[in-house]
Amino acid sequence: MSESTDPAEQIAAGYAFTGPALDLGALLWDGTCLPDRQIRIPLSMLNRHGLVAGATGTGKTKTLQLIAEQLSANGVPVFLADVKGDVSGISAPGAAGERIAQRAGEVAQEWVPTACPTEFYALGGIGQGIPLRATVTGFGPVLMSKVLQLNQTQEQSLGLIFHYADTKGLELIDLKDLRAVVAFLVSDQGKSELKGIGGLSTVTAGVILRALTAFEQQGAAEFFGEPAFDTSEFLRTAADGRGLVSVLELPAVQDKPQLFSTFLMWLLADLYSDLPEVGDLDRPKLVFFFDEAHLLFHGASKAFLASITQTVRLIRSKGIGVFFVTQTPKDVPADVLAQLGNRVQHALRAFTPDDAKALKATVKTFPNSGYDLEELLTALGTGEAVITVLSENGAPTPVAATRLRAPQSLMGPIEAAALDRAVKGSLLYARYAQPVDRESAYEKISAEQAAAEAEAEAAAAAAEAEKQAKEAQKAARGAPKPDPSLAEQVVGSGLFRSLARSIGTQVGREISRSIFGTARRRR
């Protein structure tokens, strides 16, 4: 049988998978939507990571929702970061309407309103959601340096501080623990502790302490503490076998982008460290959607970028898929972008020279195709995208312009009251809602310092008492003798001594008694 020469047929053939797959939409070719040419992504390739990109308002969030719904339906747990507060609708069935019906007809979709089993989280309890907290130790020095905006030298010093605390059994649970250790290591009592491995300069310590203060003023103290969240909670499925969708509500901290992007990286790194190697699976254990990904890489140190690259490269073998969501592919470092096998590129704008440059750079990241991608990417409508994914054998599929399906859950936020009920009705709420402040580095160092101060005060008081006693003795030796009393003068006189010699005589006894005022006994 000869191979088809129809370009649309050739593209569609690249998406004719035999195993389970997610339905993304219908092929667009030559300005026409072809509902019989379906564009799909193999379920087994979702752990090969991906990128969802496009200008604001082009439909990226709806694409996340579409993919997340189908993953959940296939028993795969999903993590979604809800930066703008409009993803909570995934927990409620969608609302039918004329536009939904029209889209469903165009792409041959059987649209049924469907809600997903959902848990809602919040960073440190700021906002609505089950609080997600991490200990400072669990966060680690590299991520902490990123969020504190430290330079390389300061990052290395922070690494020494973490190392010292670990070797001394000083648990770094919250930010006051870290501040206490830093302050101790530059105090008179503690400055010798790191002398053998380079020490900690007071200048660097001052920078770190100021950065911690500014960090706390942003409300960051809420994010560090206990109970620390167990990220394996994200891997759960509902009673009916569907994957649980974990939505991290971030609107309350969207003005702190570096904080929440770094915290998302911690979640991913923690999953990586805890999960066993599983190799290639028929379906991933979890798919993690990293929204506003450009914030993660902005101003990142080499060590931080290296950590991200390694995590993304290796976490695939743990059964975790990661999708970065941003505006253009150039927002993601080349080493990370090279590992993203699945691409959904929404429309781009070319209003400025910088936009035009970004457009050309984006086109170069796609395989060769029959499309004029520079023209196509500026002409796509909302809910349309250029797609290429990995086939079941790991090879890239042909580039396909696609009209995407409509999500079956609610496209918009649920009401605040409904969200509150969902949060407080969760079995995890009682486990994580109430913060715990147990003894850690701050309390131990404070107790030691208080004991040292008390000991010093006692020693000073003893020294002062001894000094005063010595001064009193010295004063007593050098003082003039007081004038003798009348009795002492009489006793010391020659007359008294003469009388004493005759004390045995009758006359002596009479005189003696009269002198001391004693009465003479009558006979």
Side-chain angles (χ1 to χ4, degrees), residues 159-460:
L160 286 178
I161 293 166
F162 272 71
H163 172 73
Y164 171 78
D166 187 50
T167 56
K168 295 296 184 179
L170 298 173
E171 293 180 277
L172 301 178
I173 293 176
D174 50 28
L175 292 181
K176 70 178 185 294
D177 291 326
L178 180 56
R179 189 192 300 104
V181 174
V182 175
F184 171 74
L185 289 174
V186 291
S187 67
D188 292 338
Q189 184 182 356
K191 64 176 56 176
S192 63
E193 293 287 334
L194 293 181
K195 200 169 185 180
I197 52 176
L200 176 66
S201 76
T202 53
V203 174
T204 298
V207 170
I208 294 173
L209 289 172
R210 286 193 296 273
L212 283 172
T213 299
F215 193 36
E216 286 182 299
Q217 288 174 347
Q218 296 179 17
E222 298 281 349
F223 310 130
F224 294 96
E226 290 183 321
F229 187 75
D230 182 356
T231 52
S232 66
E233 305 282 11
F234 296 144
L235 303 176
R236 294 177 297 141
T237 55
D240 59 5
R242 289 185 296 167
L244 201 63
V245 179
S246 299
V247 178
L248 178 58
E249 291 293 321
L250 294 169
V253 292
Q254 62 180 314
D255 58 337
K256 306 172 182 64
Q258 193 169 50
L259 173 63
F260 72 69
S261 65
T262 309
F263 203 94
L264 290 179
M265 194 61 219
W266 169 77
L267 293 176
L268 195 58
D270 194 69
L271 282 166
Y272 168 73
S273 65
D274 288 349
L275 292 175
E277 296 278 341
V278 293
D280 290 325
L281 302 173
D282 59 354
R283 67 190 64 210
K285 286 186 172 182
L286 173 72
V287 177
F288 193 103
F289 289 92
F290 210 130
D291 202 2
E292 301 291 345
H294 63 283
L295 300 171
L296 177 69
F297 303 109
H298 179 69
S301 68
K302 290 182 179 179
F304 183 72
L305 290 176
S307 177
I308 294 176
T309 304
Q310 182 184 37
T311 300
V312 172
R313 184 175 67 249
L314 299 179
I315 203 169
R316 178 187 67 80
S317 63
K318 305 292 185 86
I320 305 295
V322 182
F323 274 69
F324 292 97
V325 186
T326 189
Q327 295 192 1
T328 69
K330 71 180 183 64
D331 293 333
V332 180
D335 288 345
V336 177
L337 189 63
Q339 299 175 54
L340 310 182
N342 303 299
R343 299 276 300 279
V344 181
Q345 177 67 60
H346 287 266
L348 292 174
R349 310 301 181 212
F351 298 144
T352 68
D354 285 343
D355 290 342
K357 185 177 179 181
L359 175 61
K360 289 182 180 295
T362 298
V363 169
K364 291 179 180 178
T365 64
F366 280 91
N368 292 329
S369 74
Y371 295 100
D372 181 346
L373 288 180
E374 279 195 45
E375 180 181 346
L376 177 62
L377 286 173
T378 57
L380 290 171
T382 301
E384 296 177 347
V386 171
I387 292 174
T388 179
V389 301
L390 294 179
S391 65
E392 291 169 309
N393 61 8
T397 59
V399 175
T402 307
R403 182 161 293 164
L404 297 166
R405 293 185 168 215
Q408 297 185 133
S409 56
L410 183 65
M411 289 188 283
I414 61 174
E415 294 181 355
L419 178 56
D420 188 60
R421 286 194 300 271
V423 171
K424 293 181 178 176
S426 170
L427 296 176
L428 299 183
Y429 186 76
R431 188 180 307 171
Y432 294 107
Q434 190 63 37
V436 176
D437 188 11
R438 63 184 177 89
E439 185 184 58
S440 49
Y442 172 79
E443 288 78 13
K444 291 178 181 178
I445 290 175
S446 297
E448 289 179 2
Q449 289 178 334
E453 289 174 3
E455 185 177 343
E457 288 178 1

Side-chain angles (χ1 to χ4, degrees), residues 51-227:
L51 176 73
V52 179
T56 301
T58 56
K60 297 191 298 295
T61 301
K62 302 302 180 286
T63 298
L64 302 188
Q65 204 165 333
L66 173 66
I67 296 174
E69 289 174 353
Q70 295 187 65
L71 285 168
S72 175
N74 280 276
V76 178
V78 177
F79 177 92
L80 289 172
D82 186 10
V83 177
K84 297 182 289 293
D86 53 3
V87 183
S88 59
I90 199 169
S91 64
E98 184 179 340
R99 294 179 62 183
I100 293 288
Q102 180 182 351
R103 176 57 64 97
E106 291 172 348
V107 300
Q109 178 185 9
E110 293 182 10
W111 189 89
V112 178
T114 308
C116 294
T118 309
E119 293 273 23
F120 294 98
Y121 299 94
L123 287 186
I126 295 182
Q128 289 181 291
I130 298 162
L132 293 185
R133 299 184 186 88
T135 64
V136 171
T137 295
F139 208 70
V142 174
L143 288 174
M144 186 62 74
S145 296
K146 169 67 166 60
V147 83
L148 295 179
Q149 303 181 57
L150 303 182
N151 63 28
Q152 184 177 359
T153 300
Q154 294 155 359
E155 180 178 330
Q156 291 170 347
S157 294
L158 188 62
L160 286 178
I161 293 166
F162 272 71
H163 172 73
Y164 171 78
D166 187 50
T167 56
K168 295 296 184 179
L170 298 173
E171 293 180 277
L172 301 178
I173 293 176
D174 50 28
L175 292 181
K176 70 178 185 294
D177 291 326
L178 180 56
R179 189 192 300 104
V181 174
V182 175
F184 171 74
L185 289 174
V186 291
S187 67
D188 292 338
Q189 184 182 356
K191 64 176 56 176
S192 63
E193 293 287 334
L194 293 181
K195 200 169 185 180
I197 52 176
L200 176 66
S201 76
T202 53
V203 174
T204 298
V207 170
I208 294 173
L209 289 172
R210 286 193 296 273
L212 283 172
T213 299
F215 193 36
E216 286 182 299
Q217 288 174 347
Q218 296 179 17
E222 298 281 349
F223 310 130
F224 294 96
E226 290 183 321

